[in-house]
PDB file of all heavy atoms in Angstrom:
ATOM      1  N   GLU A 272       7.288 -21.976  33.866  1.00 98.00           N
ATOM      2  CA  GLU A 272       5.895 -22.261  33.540  1.00 98.00           C
ATOM      3  C   GLU A 272       5.655 -23.703  33.096  1.00 98.00           C
ATOM      4  O   GLU A 272       4.602 -24.270  33.365  1.00 98.00           O
ATOM      5  CB  GLU A 272       5.416 -21.292  32.449  1.00 98.00           C
ATOM      6  CG  GLU A 272       6.288 -21.350  31.199  1.00 98.00           C
ATOM      7  CD  GLU A 272       5.914 -20.330  30.135  1.00 98.00           C
ATOM      8  OE1 GLU A 272       4.830 -19.732  30.235  1.00 98.00           O
ATOM      9  OE2 GLU A 272       6.699 -20.139  29.188  1.00 98.00           O
ATOM     10  N   PHE A 273       6.643 -24.298  32.440  1.00 97.00           N
ATOM     11  CA  PHE A 273       6.441 -25.659  31.937  1.00 97.00           C
ATOM     12  C   PHE A 273       6.296 -26.676  33.070  1.00 97.00           C
ATOM     13  O   PHE A 273       5.793 -27.769  32.860  1.00 97.00           O
ATOM     14  CB  PHE A 273       7.593 -26.081  31.025  1.00 97.00           C
ATOM     15  CG  PHE A 273       7.695 -25.241  29.789  1.00 97.00           C
ATOM     16  CD1 PHE A 273       8.889 -24.648  29.438  1.00 97.00           C
ATOM     17  CD2 PHE A 273       6.594 -25.037  28.977  1.00 97.00           C
ATOM     18  CE1 PHE A 273       8.985 -23.866  28.294  1.00 97.00           C
ATOM     19  CE2 PHE A 273       6.676 -24.256  27.832  1.00 97.00           C
ATOM     20  CZ  PHE A 273       7.882 -23.659  27.488  1.00 97.00           C
ATOM     21  N   ASP A 274       6.799 -26.310  34.271  1.00 98.00           N
ATOM     22  CA  ASP A 274       6.672 -27.237  35.391  1.00 98.00           C
ATOM     23  C   ASP A 274       5.214 -27.517  35.732  1.00 98.00           C
ATOM     24  O   ASP A 274       4.903 -28.537  36.343  1.00 98.00           O
ATOM     25  CB  ASP A 274       7.416 -26.693  36.619  1.00 98.00           C
ATOM     26  CG  ASP A 274       8.925 -26.855  36.487  1.00 98.00           C
ATOM     27  OD1 ASP A 274       9.361 -28.006  36.299  1.00 98.00           O
ATOM     28  OD2 ASP A 274       9.653 -25.858  36.539  1.00 98.00           O
ATOM     29  N   VAL A 275       4.317 -26.606  35.345  1.00 97.00           N
ATOM     30  CA  VAL A 275       2.888 -26.828  35.587  1.00 97.00           C
ATOM     31  C   VAL A 275       2.432 -28.095  34.872  1.00 97.00           C
ATOM     32  O   VAL A 275       1.599 -28.843  35.386  1.00 97.00           O
ATOM     33  CB  VAL A 275       2.064 -25.609  35.112  1.00 97.00           C
ATOM     34  CG1 VAL A 275       0.582 -25.920  35.091  1.00 97.00           C
ATOM     35  CG2 VAL A 275       2.349 -24.420  36.019  1.00 97.00           C
ATOM     36  N   GLY A 276       3.026 -28.357  33.714  1.00 96.00           N
ATOM     37  CA  GLY A 276       2.766 -29.606  32.993  1.00 96.00           C
ATOM     38  C   GLY A 276       1.288 -29.889  32.834  1.00 96.00           C
ATOM     39  O   GLY A 276       0.525 -29.041  32.377  1.00 96.00           O
ATOM     40  N   ASP A 277       0.892 -31.056  33.270  1.00 94.00           N
ATOM     41  CA  ASP A 277      -0.482 -31.499  33.100  1.00 94.00           C
ATOM     42  C   ASP A 277      -1.366 -30.957  34.239  1.00 94.00           C
ATOM     43  O   ASP A 277      -1.922 -31.717  35.024  1.00 94.00           O
ATOM     44  CB  ASP A 277      -0.504 -33.030  33.058  1.00 94.00           C
ATOM     45  CG  ASP A 277      -1.855 -33.572  32.610  1.00 94.00           C
ATOM     46  OD1 ASP A 277      -2.658 -32.787  32.071  1.00 94.00           O
ATOM     47  OD2 ASP A 277      -2.103 -34.773  32.813  1.00 94.00           O
ATOM     48  N   TYR A 278      -1.457 -29.651  34.322  1.00 96.00           N
ATOM     49  CA  TYR A 278      -2.339 -28.973  35.282  1.00 96.00           C
ATOM     50  C   TYR A 278      -2.015 -29.334  36.731  1.00 96.00           C
ATOM     51  O   TYR A 278      -2.906 -29.617  37.525  1.00 96.00           O
ATOM     52  CB  TYR A 278      -3.807 -29.297  34.969  1.00 96.00           C
ATOM     53  CG  TYR A 278      -4.208 -28.920  33.574  1.00 96.00           C
ATOM     54  CD1 TYR A 278      -4.241 -29.864  32.555  1.00 96.00           C
ATOM     55  CD2 TYR A 278      -4.521 -27.604  33.267  1.00 96.00           C
ATOM     56  CE1 TYR A 278      -4.584 -29.506  31.263  1.00 96.00           C
ATOM     57  CE2 TYR A 278      -4.868 -27.243  31.975  1.00 96.00           C
ATOM     58  CZ  TYR A 278      -4.898 -28.197  30.984  1.00 96.00           C
ATOM     59  OH  TYR A 278      -5.249 -27.835  29.721  1.00 96.00           O
ATOM     60  N   ARG A 279      -0.730 -29.323  37.062  1.00 97.00           N
ATOM     61  CA  ARG A 279      -0.347 -29.661  38.441  1.00 97.00           C
ATOM     62  C   ARG A 279      -0.498 -28.423  39.328  1.00 97.00           C
ATOM     63  O   ARG A 279       0.249 -27.463  39.208  1.00 97.00           O
ATOM     64  CB  ARG A 279       1.087 -30.199  38.462  1.00 97.00           C
ATOM     65  CG  ARG A 279       1.166 -31.535  37.720  1.00 97.00           C
ATOM     66  CD  ARG A 279       2.459 -32.227  37.958  1.00 97.00           C
ATOM     67  NE  ARG A 279       3.567 -31.531  37.315  1.00 97.00           N
ATOM     68  CZ  ARG A 279       4.836 -31.830  37.549  1.00 97.00           C
ATOM     69  NH1 ARG A 279       5.148 -32.770  38.418  1.00 97.00           N
ATOM     70  NH2 ARG A 279       5.786 -31.172  36.929  1.00 97.00           N
ATOM     71  N   THR A 280      -1.479 -28.498  40.229  1.00 97.00           N
ATOM     72  CA  THR A 280      -1.876 -27.297  40.972  1.00 97.00           C
ATOM     73  C   THR A 280      -0.855 -26.891  42.032  1.00 97.00           C
ATOM     74  O   THR A 280      -0.898 -25.773  42.521  1.00 97.00           O
ATOM     75  CB  THR A 280      -3.247 -27.495  41.644  1.00 97.00           C
ATOM     76  OG1 THR A 280      -3.184 -28.653  42.478  1.00 97.00           O
ATOM     77  CG2 THR A 280      -4.328 -27.701  40.607  1.00 97.00           C
ATOM     78  N   PHE A 281       0.052 -27.783  42.423  1.00 97.00           N
ATOM     79  CA  PHE A 281       1.078 -27.395  43.396  1.00 97.00           C
ATOM     80  C   PHE A 281       2.036 -26.365  42.780  1.00 97.00           C
ATOM     81  O   PHE A 281       2.816 -25.734  43.481  1.00 97.00           O
ATOM     82  CB  PHE A 281       1.878 -28.612  43.880  1.00 97.00           C
ATOM     83  CG  PHE A 281       1.148 -29.434  44.914  1.00 97.00           C
ATOM     84  CD1 PHE A 281      -0.183 -29.205  45.199  1.00 97.00           C
ATOM     85  CD2 PHE A 281       1.798 -30.432  45.616  1.00 97.00           C
ATOM     86  CE1 PHE A 281      -0.858 -29.956  46.155  1.00 97.00           C
ATOM     87  CE2 PHE A 281       1.141 -31.179  46.573  1.00 97.00           C
ATOM     88  CZ  PHE A 281      -0.193 -30.947  46.840  1.00 97.00           C
ATOM     89  N   PHE A 282       1.973 -26.211  41.469  1.00 98.00           N
ATOM     90  CA  PHE A 282       2.821 -25.226  40.802  1.00 98.00           C
ATOM     91  C   PHE A 282       2.058 -23.934  40.523  1.00 98.00           C
ATOM     92  O   PHE A 282       2.545 -23.067  39.812  1.00 98.00           O
ATOM     93  CB  PHE A 282       3.373 -25.805  39.499  1.00 98.00           C
ATOM     94  CG  PHE A 282       4.357 -26.925  39.726  1.00 98.00           C
ATOM     95  CD1 PHE A 282       3.914 -28.219  39.947  1.00 98.00           C
ATOM     96  CD2 PHE A 282       5.714 -26.674  39.741  1.00 98.00           C
ATOM     97  CE1 PHE A 282       4.814 -29.250  40.180  1.00 98.00           C
ATOM     98  CE2 PHE A 282       6.616 -27.693  39.966  1.00 98.00           C
ATOM     99  CZ  PHE A 282       6.163 -28.985  40.190  1.00 98.00           C
ATOM    100  N   LYS A 283       0.854 -23.811  41.070  1.00 98.00           N
ATOM    101  CA  LYS A 283       0.096 -22.583  40.894  1.00 98.00           C
ATOM    102  C   LYS A 283       0.498 -21.615  42.002  1.00 98.00           C
ATOM    103  O   LYS A 283       0.202 -21.860  43.174  1.00 98.00           O
ATOM    104  CB  LYS A 283      -1.411 -22.865  40.941  1.00 98.00           C
ATOM    105  CG  LYS A 283      -2.235 -21.615  40.703  1.00 98.00           C
ATOM    106  CD  LYS A 283      -3.714 -21.929  40.660  1.00 98.00           C
ATOM    107  CE  LYS A 283      -4.510 -20.658  40.446  1.00 98.00           C
ATOM    108  NZ  LYS A 283      -5.959 -20.909  40.461  1.00 98.00           N
ATOM    109  N   VAL A 284       1.196 -20.560  41.638  1.00 98.00           N
ATOM    110  CA  VAL A 284       1.643 -19.562  42.606  1.00 98.00           C
ATOM    111  C   VAL A 284       1.322 -18.172  42.068  1.00 98.00           C
ATOM    112  O   VAL A 284       0.922 -18.017  40.920  1.00 98.00           O
ATOM    113  CB  VAL A 284       3.169 -19.687  42.895  1.00 98.00           C
ATOM    114  CG1 VAL A 284       3.475 -20.990  43.600  1.00 98.00           C
ATOM    115  CG2 VAL A 284       3.986 -19.565  41.613  1.00 98.00           C
ATOM    116  N   LYS A 285       1.493 -17.184  42.939  1.00 97.00           N
ATOM    117  CA  LYS A 285       1.239 -15.792  42.571  1.00 97.00           C
ATOM    118  C   LYS A 285       2.511 -14.981  42.742  1.00 97.00           C
ATOM    119  O   LYS A 285       3.050 -14.998  43.840  1.00 97.00           O
ATOM    120  CB  LYS A 285       0.184 -15.194  43.511  1.00 97.00           C
ATOM    121  CG  LYS A 285      -1.196 -15.115  42.946  1.00 97.00           C
ATOM    122  CD  LYS A 285      -2.031 -14.289  43.900  1.00 97.00           C
ATOM    123  CE  LYS A 285      -3.515 -14.554  43.677  1.00 97.00           C
ATOM    124  NZ  LYS A 285      -4.316 -13.808  44.651  1.00 97.00           N
ATOM    125  N   PRO A 286       3.012 -14.270  41.767  1.00 98.00           N
ATOM    126  CA  PRO A 286       2.573 -14.296  40.370  1.00 98.00           C
ATOM    127  C   PRO A 286       2.855 -15.653  39.754  1.00 98.00           C
ATOM    128  O   PRO A 286       3.647 -16.428  40.291  1.00 98.00           O
ATOM    129  CB  PRO A 286       3.435 -13.204  39.727  1.00 98.00           C
ATOM    130  CG  PRO A 286       4.649 -13.115  40.570  1.00 98.00           C
ATOM    131  CD  PRO A 286       4.198 -13.419  41.962  1.00 98.00           C
TER     132      PRO A 286
END
Side-chain angles (χ1 to χ4, degrees):
Chain A
E272 56 184 347
F273 297 128
D274 284 303
V275 169
D277 191 15
Y278 303 98
R279 294 192 290 169
T280 56
F281 282 10
F282 292 83
K283 182 176 179 183
V284 294
K285 259 190 200 177

